[in-house]
Amino acid sequence: MTTTSRPVRVGVQIAPQHASYATIRDTLAELEDLGVDIAFNWDHFYPLSGEPDGLHFEGWTMLAAWAEQTSRIEFGPLVTCNSYRNPDLLADMARTVDHISAHDGDTGRLIFGIGSGWFERDYDEYGYEFGTAGQRLDALAEALPRIESRWAKLNPAPTRDIPVLIGGGGEKKTLRIVAQHADIWHSFADTETLERKLGILGEWCEKVDRPMSEIEISVGTRGARGDGLPDMDRQLELGVTLFTLGITAPELDMQGVRDLVAWRDSVTS
């Protein structure tokens, strides 16, 4: 049993690479049928693993299709790159996808994952200025208030307060931005590092006068098999409630997804 007041959730990131769109679409349908809580893709222009020039699709246009295709599952980018789009345009894109996903009068299901960007090939090939990590983080800090302001101005407004997920673990800038703006903080940190960074996030929340309990804690996981289980149990004790497994073609390991869903159900029963 978990002691957290938040529900334990399972996310699955479908890498939009090395597969036809039909395969990605069918995989998403299977994830929804299996009871996965959130489906993610990513916001890159080239594969991150395997053949560097292999099949790959753009993320936000894919999310619009996912909004129509699905009826229950939440979804979003893990994460969108702040550098690739004007912040006001990005806010409008997210609001539109939010509305597309609001079927039969329900609220939308988009989770707005965002980060400062890191994959230099995307920048070089598409003509963006890469700059430094610090510059990209400063740009993210400047963009988020613009995004939030644009959401408040749009007509129609988003169907709900779109949850903002911020990815990254930088202690001087990223976690400060998380404390100020995030509804969800996502990290790929190991358990020991995660525990330390949660302490730092708590310090930032105190500095910006925000309860840390308002932020859901999310981690990337190796799955509910073998060596992954002790980490997941400890992370659950630390307050993690969103566990996200990445899958990619050609394997698209659905058994790992089934195991993770079964673990979620076992700790929440």
Side-chain angles (χ1 to χ4, degrees):
M1 290 287 292
T2 176
T3 57
T4 180
S5 60
R6 295 181 184 274
V8 177
R9 304 199 288 172
V10 165
V12 176
Q13 183 184 48
I14 309 171
Q17 62 180 16
H18 306 311
S20 68
Y21 182 70
T23 296
I24 294 170
R25 180 189 62 222
D26 293 347
T27 300
L28 175 64
E30 187 171 358
L31 294 183
E32 187 165 45
D33 289 344
L34 286 173
V36 169
D37 298 290
I38 307 170
F40 294 108
N41 63 5
W42 66 42
D43 187 26
H44 294 289
F45 308 133
Y46 295 92
L48 299 185
S49 63
E51 168 53 48
D53 293 314
L55 298 174
H56 196 277
F57 291 99
E58 194 278 325
W60 272 98
T61 43
M62 180 180 291
L63 291 173
W66 286 13
E68 279 284 11
Q69 176 187 341
T70 58
S71 61
R72 176 197 60 79
I73 198 168
E74 291 186 283
F75 63 94
L78 188 63
V79 290
T80 199
C81 176
N82 173 66
S83 307
Y84 300 160
R85 301 165 190 87
N86 171 285
D88 292 86
L89 170 62
L90 184 57
D92 202 342
M93 291 166 56
R95 180 281 310 254
T96 300
V97 172
D98 166 70
H99 273 266
I100 295 170
S101 69
H103 299 176
D104 300 324
D106 292 335
T107 56
R109 292 171 285 114
L110 176 71
I111 291 179
F112 183 74
I114 191 168
S116 60
W118 62 271
F119 190 39
E120 190 168 2
R121 185 184 181 189
D122 284 349
Y123 288 80
D124 292 344
E125 296 268 9
Y126 278 58
Y128 297 107
E129 180 67 33
F130 189 57
T132 67
Q135 289 170 334
R136 295 192 300 277
L137 282 165
D138 290 344
L140 176 62
E142 293 171 2
L144 281 162
R146 285 181 58 182
I147 290 167
E148 294 163 354
S149 176
R150 179 57 55 188
W151 280 338
K153 298 173 183 175
L154 289 169
N155 183 15
T159 69
R160 63 173 180 168
D161 291 335
I162 297 175
V164 174
L165 178 154
I166 295 177
E171 298 171 8
K172 293 181 179 179
K173 291 188 176 183
T174 303
L175 293 182
R176 170 177 55 82
I177 297 169
V178 169
Q180 292 172 319
H181 296 283
D183 300 290
I184 306 169
W185 172 51
H186 181 81
S187 168
F188 289 100
D190 60 52
T191 304
E192 181 179 355
T193 304
L194 176 68
E195 185 169 11
R196 180 174 60 81
K197 288 184 183 291
L198 284 169
I200 295 168
L201 177 58
E203 293 172 3
W204 276 117
C205 285
E206 289 182 8
K207 290 177 181 178
V208 303
D209 194 25
R210 184 184 180 197
M212 186 171 164
S213 60
E214 293 182 356
I215 303 171
E216 183 174 12
I217 309 302
S218 167
V219 296
T221 182
R222 293 172 292 172
R225 284 189 277 184
D227 294 340
L229 278 172
D231 281 337
M232 291 170 60
D233 290 340
R234 176 59 182 144
Q235 289 164 355
L236 189 63
E237 293 174 357
L238 291 172
V240 176
T241 55
L242 175 53
F243 296 83
T244 297
L245 178 68
I247 61 174
T248 185
E251 292 86 6
L252 291 169
D253 179 12
M254 301 306 287
Q255 186 56 53
V257 175
R258 294 185 185 94
D259 290 342
L260 188 56
V261 169
W263 175 82
R264 176 203 65 193
D265 294 345
S266 73
V267 299
T268 56
S269 60

